[in-house]
Amino acid sequence: MGVKIISAGFDIEGFHRLQVYLAHEGYQALRKVLTSMTPSQVTEEVIKSNLRGLGGAGFPAGRKWSFVPKDSPKPKYLVINADEGEPGTFKDRLILLNTPHMLIEGILIAAYAIGAAKVYIYIRGEYTEPAKVIGQALEEVRANNYLGQHILGTDFSLDVVIHRGAGAYICGEETALLESLEGKKGWPRLKPPFPALVGLFDCPTVINNVETIAFLPAIINRGWKWFADLGTERNGGTRLFCVSGSVNRPGVYELPMGTPLREIIYEQAGGIKGDKSLKAVIPGGSSAPVLSRDQIDVKMDFDSLMAAGSMAGSGGIIVMDEDTCMPHALWVLTRFYAHESCGQCTPCREGTGWMEKVLRRILDGTGRPEDPENLLRIAHNIMGNTICPLGDAAALPVISFLEKFANEFDFHISQHRCDIEGV
């Protein structure tokens, strides 16, 4: 259980600098790819490794690459989604700060595999220091022929551009991100066509998350089977779990896919703060349906969490103890989605605002008996009726909170107060 891949460099002094990274097998995978592997072989290696997209959707990374047409006359692009805005998630920030060269090496490998000559790193606007660190790392590799023209003396050339976001959560959605990159309003696109065929500037494009790409050097160096065997059947390798909330040791923990949620909370994160009882856990970032305390023996991989009625999402684990007011916690989440809705789709634009208003009313002690039913009706009318998943992300917490903690909402409405002392 102690295998570390990405986080192995977190505690190495100066690991964000090129010379230190080179001293720890840095860019050996790139050299191997450019001198002894074809693009198709690289893609096949990633497919067999069972590496999933770790930004939230969990789509197999290699399969996504395989959708890019090989015979297209248009240029191909790789876009790195570093717009980490999901509440409860902070892993990409640590990668950008501590292991930028691992990400850059992964970028070079992925670009070679799909035939891209230009890469955009779309980084969250608030990430000032991470943007500075990755920028310095790019300067280092350009100066040492790991980036630019005829990399390492081969025919492969690549340009990488950093693009700063402007604080819009919606631009973490891949097609809204592309719109933003093109200088337009960050409104998600209708799909199909999918970005692999019609993406950035109407050209074939692959969009991958920071963490996903950072795993590539290890997969190439150690082989697909080694990586696949670390995880579960269809979820290869490890992943970075962000643990926050009512735990003794909040932080980022790299663990094999399929590690039980109970182990992450009680062994890795040190259990519940103040020896209080666990009430609930959000297992995959704020949009994942909440789990009750009797569900924490679930394995933390995409398939197991889906079977449990939730999502692995971005790996953001938010732990809530016995003193958490669930209506208040849901209001905080719903307020976020109401604020971040781009407004393009009526169900999301209007529905998120309605849900926030109703929840605020319940918290203020003026809730109505019909409010829980109305919240569920609004949420179900948002589900599946929006262009992008933000609508579902707003609706799923509402549905799951009301299903599992209905008694707390009923108490607020009937007694006009919270049943938790001091709230």
Side-chain angles (χ1 to χ4, degrees), residues 193-369:
F194 292 94
L197 298 177
V198 182
L200 187 63
F201 310 125
D202 290 335
C203 296
T205 305
V206 167
I207 304 110
N208 276 135
N209 163 262
V210 166
E211 184 185 2
T212 309
I213 293 295
F215 275 117
L216 294 179
I219 293 172
I220 297 299
N221 278 331
R222 304 190 192 185
W224 68 266
K225 190 175 189 308
W226 169 82
F227 189 82
D229 288 347
L230 289 174
T232 56
E233 183 180 358
R234 300 197 312 146
N235 304 261
T238 60
R239 84 171 301 185
L240 302 179
F241 295 101
C242 313
V243 187
S244 62
S246 303
V247 291
N248 287 309
R249 294 193 298 269
V252 174
Y253 298 90
E254 182 172 4
L255 297 163
M257 282 283 207
T259 299
L261 179 56
R262 180 184 296 275
E263 178 185 325
I264 298 174
I265 295 171
Y266 285 97
E267 295 183 26
Q268 303 296 328
I272 308 303
K273 190 183 298 183
D275 292 326
K276 294 181 180 179
S277 298
L278 175 68
K279 178 182 278 189
V281 185
I282 296 174
S286 62
S287 57
V290 69
L291 298 176
S292 57
R293 63 185 177 187
D294 59 355
Q295 293 181 289
I296 64 168
D297 290 308
V298 64
K299 292 182 177 180
M300 290 293 287
D301 62 54
F302 288 96
D303 300 327
S304 299
L305 280 164
M306 183 176 293
S310 190
M311 302 186 300
S314 59
I317 300 170
I318 304 171
V319 181
M320 293 171 272
D321 67 22
E322 60 191 77
D323 291 338
T324 303
C325 170
M326 300 308 283
H328 184 270
L330 180 59
W331 170 72
V332 171
L333 296 177
T334 304
R335 179 182 58 176
F336 171 80
Y337 288 109
H339 179 268
E340 294 295 342
S341 173
C342 74
Q344 183 176 191
C345 305
T346 302
C348 179
R349 181 184 68 243
E350 302 299 329
T352 54
W354 292 345
M355 293 191 299
E356 192 272 337
K357 181 179 179 180
V358 173
L359 286 164
R360 183 67 263 176
R361 183 167 69 210
I362 293 172
L363 292 178
D364 287 343
T366 57
R368 305 167 186 171

Side-chain angles (χ1 to χ4, degrees), residues 30-37 108 112 145-146 148-158:
L30 174 65
R31 194 177 295 274
K32 177 181 177 180
V33 161
L34 296 184
T35 59
S36 64
M37 298 179 74
L108 286 154
Y112 174 78
N145 193 226
Y146 291 99
Q149 298 297 310
H150 301 291
I151 295 169
L152 298 179
T154 68
D155 292 333
F156 179 59
S157 300
L158 187 69

Side-chain angles (χ1 to χ4, degrees), residues 30-184:
L30 174 65
R31 194 177 295 274
K32 177 181 177 180
V33 161
L34 296 184
T35 59
S36 64
M37 298 179 74
T38 65
S40 295
Q41 287 174 329
V42 175
T43 300
E44 186 62 26
E45 191 84 358
V46 175
I47 290 173
K48 291 190 293 186
S49 75
N50 289 329
L51 174 65
R52 304 280 288 259
L54 300 172
F59 194 84
R63 281 188 57 202
K64 179 186 278 192
W65 298 0
S66 70
F67 297 151
V68 174
K70 294 180 175 59
D71 56 352
S72 173
K74 296 182 177 180
K76 302 177 181 69
Y77 294 102
L78 172 65
V79 175
I80 304 303
N81 188 343
D83 191 57
E84 185 174 52
E86 181 81 352
T89 311
F90 39 92
K91 58 189 172 66
D92 292 347
R93 178 177 179 273
L94 293 184
I95 295 171
L96 292 162
L97 285 172
N98 298 300
T99 62
H101 285 286
M102 192 174 288
L103 171 61
I104 293 169
E105 186 173 12
I107 286 172
L108 286 154
I109 292 168
Y112 174 78
I114 68 171
K118 191 160 189 174
V119 177
Y120 290 89
I121 301 175
Y122 188 102
I123 189 166
R124 181 178 176 177
E126 296 89 340
Y127 278 7
T128 302
E129 187 63 22
K132 177 182 175 182
V133 172
I134 192 71
Q136 291 171 341
L138 288 170
E139 290 177 6
E140 286 185 307
V141 290
R142 285 193 186 97
N144 289 272
N145 193 226
Y146 291 99
L147 188 65
Q149 298 297 310
H150 301 291
I151 295 169
L152 298 179
T154 68
D155 292 333
F156 179 59
S157 300
L158 187 69
D159 183 27
V160 178
V161 175
I162 294 175
H163 183 98
R164 299 289 298 279
Y169 170 76
I170 192 64
C171 288
E173 194 279 332
E174 62 178 17
T175 60
L177 186 155
L178 295 180
E179 290 288 292
S180 179
L181 268 178
E182 292 178 0
K184 295 179 284 187

